[in-house]
Amino acid sequence: MPGYPETIADRVALVRDRIERAARHAGRDSASVTLVAVTKTHPPVLIEEVVAAGVVDLGENRVQEAATKVETFRQTGHAVRWHLIGHLQRNKARVAVGLFDIVHSVDSLRLAEALDRQVREAVLSAERAPDSRLPILLQINVSGEASKEGFALLGGCANKSGMEALLGAIERMVALPGLEVRGLMTIAPLVDDPELARPTFRMLRELRDELARQVPTVHWNELSMGMTDDFEVAISEGATLVRVGRALFGER
Ligand SMILES: *Cc1c(COP(=O)(O)O)cnc(C)c1O
């Protein structure tokens, strides 16, 4: 990209500036939008540069790959928060609970139950603080691409049978003592024009608003949506967590 900043510090500044503008344009406070730097495939030395530039939220999509990075950062004493943004297999729930501060990609009731069990075991063995809960987001597939993970809700809250199934799962998930449901996450279809992602983001926000009405005991604050190519559109539709990789680290 011509004129694209050379250093990671400058790229962080540029992305923050874009977030600020998008928020202002939408009449939102940019403090309500958290930049999650997606560090997958990148080594700790590069990740340290975004952290040095003030980024404290880091996203990884695989448990195995995250493990060494999390360990490295724990040794350096940097206070960062690790976000799991990729599909999690249930047999890795235990490791994931030990690594991540929040899981964006909870895509089934069974996975939620596995995470809850591991949180409670970690509390019992004093690896976690008593009463500590793992924050989670529910990954929703509103745009219906066959390859996309998430609770299937093609068309968003207009999908009656999908809504019924989702509400049933939510009822069970909010009762799990080791978890704290905080909101929703989605991945928009890959499109050339970011405007084409808008309907997906809007459906997720409308779903969040509907869930806030139907399940008011949960604080449905977080909307994790938007990546390098479309985060400004996502912010205009209410994103509170944007997951940005390539705009910070370059092409993978
Ligand atoms: C890789 C990834 C991102 C970041 O994508 P970029 O296009 O590099 O910004 C965001 N979310 C998820 C779930 C990812 O896997």
Side-chain angles (χ1 to χ4, degrees), residues 220-236:
W220 296 95
N221 295 332
E222 305 294 350
L223 283 177
S224 169
M225 55 190 196
M227 322 199 320
T228 289
D229 291 328
D230 54 22
F231 70 82
E232 282 132 323
V233 176
I235 289 169
S236 79

Side-chain angles (χ1 to χ4, degrees), residues 38 40 61 85 185 187 227-229 243-246 252:
V38 176
K40 67 187 182 204
N61 64 351
I85 61 173
M185 178 270 219
I187 301 176
M227 322 199 320
T228 289
D229 291 328
R243 312 179 304 264
V244 178
R246 286 169 300 132
R252 283 181 294 273

Side-chain angles (χ1 to χ4, degrees), residues 2 10 56 61 69 72 95 109 122 143 179 181 188 193 207 222 237:
D10 286 345
V56 290
N61 64 351
K69 297 179 187 177
T72 304
V95 185
L109 174 60
S143 57
L179 303 183
V181 179
D193 176 0
L207 172 61
E222 305 294 350
E237 292 296 335

Side-chain angles (χ1 to χ4, degrees), residues 1 4-5 7-12 14-15 18-19 34-43 46-47 50 55 57-61 65 69 85 225-231 241-252:
M1 252 185 271
Y4 200 70
T7 71
I8 286 184
D10 286 345
R11 293 175 190 170
V12 169
L14 181 63
V15 168
R18 287 171 58 188
I19 290 172
T34 297
L35 169 61
V36 179
V38 176
T39 53
K40 67 187 182 204
T41 76
H42 301 297
L46 282 188
I47 304 172
V50 294
V55 174
D57 292 276
L58 306 176
E60 283 282 331
N61 64 351
E65 184 182 338
K69 297 179 187 177
I85 61 173
M225 55 190 196
M227 322 199 320
T228 289
D229 291 328
D230 54 22
F231 70 82
L241 294 156
V242 291
R243 312 179 304 264
V244 178
R246 286 169 300 132
L248 299 171
F249 296 104
E251 296 295 326
R252 283 181 294 273

